Amino acid sequence: MNYSFDFNSISFGPLLKGLVVTLELTIAANVIGLAFGFVLALLIMNRIAVIRLPAMLFVEFFRCTPAIVQIVWFFYCVPMLFNLFLGSMTMGILALGLNLMAFNAEAYRGAIQAVPREQLDAGIALGLNPLQRILYIVLPTAFRASIPVLLTNGIVIFQQSALVAIVAVQDLMYQGKSLATETYRPIETFTVVALIYFAVSFPVTQLVGFLERRRQLLMS
């Protein structure tokens, strides 16, 4: 192979700007996923079919369709169907946030089902109404139990955020593609992009592993 590597030709300025956009997308999507995922989990567990079935359909749609299709659908179809024109960044946040919301709902649901019955009975004995039992007993317990899965889902969304580059959101992947085109150095550029994604993702995956091991020790 006669290819001569030249990493000095890579300008990190645009990549860092793209990383900031990627982190903004990830944080906004996680806010949506963490907050509304719990609400969606409660709807899924509702005994009333009219409430439960649409929530289940929502979850299955986002879990069973590719994230790239969801992003493209929001970007092109929402303006046409609803005459609603939002920026590409907003569309990306909505698509990623709703996707994460569906996956987090399943994580919350499993954690809610694992809440000890004794805790709920204690709440009833203390005179807490259903909403208070959810806020003060179910939510804290379920959130702690599902933290490893929620973190894993969050880092997956960080990685999937690269897909918004196809709808011209100037994230890390978009900036990498532009830089590779300008410098004619795709190998060096995308190697650096991959290393940046790895540098952000790896510490979180290690944290997830640590929390899992700690949880197993506490349970043993």
Side-chain angles (χ1 to χ4, degrees):
M1 186 173 92
N2 296 324
Y3 188 84
S4 178
F5 291 93
D6 181 17
F7 284 94
N8 292 325
S9 63
I10 305 301
S11 175
F12 285 90
L15 296 181
L16 292 177
K17 290 180 180 179
L19 177 60
V20 170
V21 174
T22 294
L23 293 176
E24 290 174 348
L25 282 166
T26 304
I27 292 171
N30 272 277
V31 169
I32 295 173
L34 290 173
F36 294 101
F38 182 76
V39 176
L40 185 59
L42 295 177
L43 296 178
I44 293 172
M45 300 177 68
N46 197 290
R47 296 180 179 179
I48 302 174
V50 177
I51 297 176
R52 183 180 68 255
L53 294 179
M56 293 176 62
L57 180 62
F58 176 92
V59 170
E60 293 305 320
F61 172 80
F62 279 94
R63 291 180 64 200
C64 298
T65 56
I68 190 170
V69 174
Q70 298 164 17
I71 292 169
V72 172
W73 192 92
F74 268 87
F75 188 78
Y76 291 105
C77 299
V78 168
M80 296 175 64
L81 293 175
F82 304 104
N83 197 30
L84 181 63
F85 298 91
L86 301 173
S88 56
M89 183 76 172
T90 303
M91 289 295 189
I93 290 173
L94 284 175
L96 294 173
L98 294 177
N99 178 283
L100 183 59
M101 180 176 157
F103 283 90
N104 281 355
E106 285 299 292
Y108 279 127
R109 185 168 68 90
I112 291 171
Q113 292 174 336
V115 174
R117 182 66 196 180
E118 294 79 8
Q119 293 186 16
L120 297 176
D121 292 339
I124 295 173
L126 291 172
L128 300 179
N129 60 44
L131 179 59
Q132 289 174 324
R133 292 198 297 273
I134 291 173
L135 292 178
Y136 300 129
I137 298 176
V138 177
L139 176 58
T141 305
F143 180 76
R144 285 194 298 269
S146 56
I147 282 178
V149 180
L150 297 177
L151 286 174
T152 300
N153 291 345
I155 203 65
V156 169
I157 280 296
F158 167 72
Q159 295 164 354
Q160 287 188 337
S161 68
L163 299 173
V164 301
I166 66 172
V167 292
V169 177
Q170 298 184 8
D171 69 327
L172 176 58
M173 187 63 184
Y174 180 93
Q175 296 289 1
K177 289 169 59 180
S178 299
L179 190 60
T181 302
E182 293 173 4
T183 60
Y184 299 100
R185 291 286 175 177
I187 296 178
E188 292 90 334
T189 302
F190 290 118
T191 299
V192 171
V193 168
L195 289 174
I196 293 174
Y197 277 109
F198 176 81
V200 176
S201 301
F202 183 73
V204 180
T205 59
Q206 295 303 299
L207 176 61
V208 171
F210 169 77
L211 293 175
E212 283 285 5
R213 291 190 296 271
R214 183 182 179 187
R215 182 185 175 190
Q216 291 174 359
L217 288 174
L218 293 174
M219 293 176 63
S220 60

